[in-house]
Amino acid sequence: MIGKHPLVVVVGSGGVGKTTLAASLGLASAAQGLKTLVMTFDPSLRLKDALQVGDEARRRAAPVPQEGPGQLDASLLDARQTFDRLIETYAPDDAARQRILGNRFYQHLSGSLAGILEYMAVERLFEVAQEGAYDQIFLDTPPTRQALDFLEAPARILNFLKSPALPIARREWFDAQGKLKATSGLGLFGRGIEGFLDRMIGVDFLREVSEFFLSFNPLYEGFEERAREVAKLLSSPSTRFLLVSGPGQERIPDALFFARKLREAGHHLDAVVVNRIHPDLGVGATEPKEGVDPQSVAAQEDGRALLRWLGERDRLGVEELTSLLGEYPLIKVPMLGDEPTDLASLKALGTRLAAQLPG
């Protein structure tokens, strides 16, 4: 997989080490001499700590201080900055750009509306893919439900742009004096309607929403074109997905659900990676040595019993998941004594993982 696919998307539920594995594969790719980018849209921004990059990675791809023949950059999505850059790039002129950026409805939309992170992820991915500056990109996604929102974002954008409500929103509802056109010719009655709307919703708010949609008129066609291009990119045979899961049997439904969703959407799933598998210690107790405190022995045996239980649980979970996956290979990553928190340990993990992945 290293070097053979320009885009690798790492998906899975929360708490399974997905961000760590994406970072480690990025380092393994750079070690092979490739110009590599690791991108994350995980709101926790854990990748910043794992790869030792600062806040500049939220504004632009930042270099990771690693040794080797290649290059590794890290990029952390900032939804507001990505949206602002999108407006600055595609607005037809400076006046239109300032109208949108200064619009209060836009300022609220770009920072807090549900789904905006996923849509900005789509836009940023499109930008990077179009630039073609990297040999390989590893995309770390948010946990399962948000990751599905990301994968479905192009289709949702296209549905929105085709909505019959959009042409209505793009009409000029206010005149040059900022009055509702529909009520301006109705005299006192019209002012009464406008006053009612002002009390219930706020005419200023309605005016800002109307101005927002009007200001966006020149950008709608570009939005639709980019959404189609991203949908093609995600379903391209050259784009591959890695599904990361935990080892317990309770993780199996999530893994199977995600694998099915990827298949139904036409995405190419290369493998399922089961991360942090406890060692199988077998059964039986260790005989205590003479002269050892019985309480200390009991405490140690309790710990060994827990580890044996975890190892058995993970073994059964991996066996069951393997039997249910069918065509998809399952890659096992053992629980490490220490979580990789520096570049050297991340690189070692990525090298081991890359050696097991399909070509």
Side-chain angles (χ1 to χ4, degrees), residues 129-152:
Q130 287 292 101
E131 290 165 1
Y134 294 95
D135 301 313
Q136 191 159 40
I137 299 169
F138 290 91
L139 175 64
D140 168 45
T141 60
T144 302
R145 297 295 174 181
Q146 285 174 285
L148 288 176
D149 287 342
F150 164 72
L151 296 175
E152 294 165 359

Side-chain angles (χ1 to χ4, degrees), residues 26 36 80 193 226 319:
T36 307
R80 176 61 186 271
I193 295 175
R226 288 191 300 281
E319 288 179 358

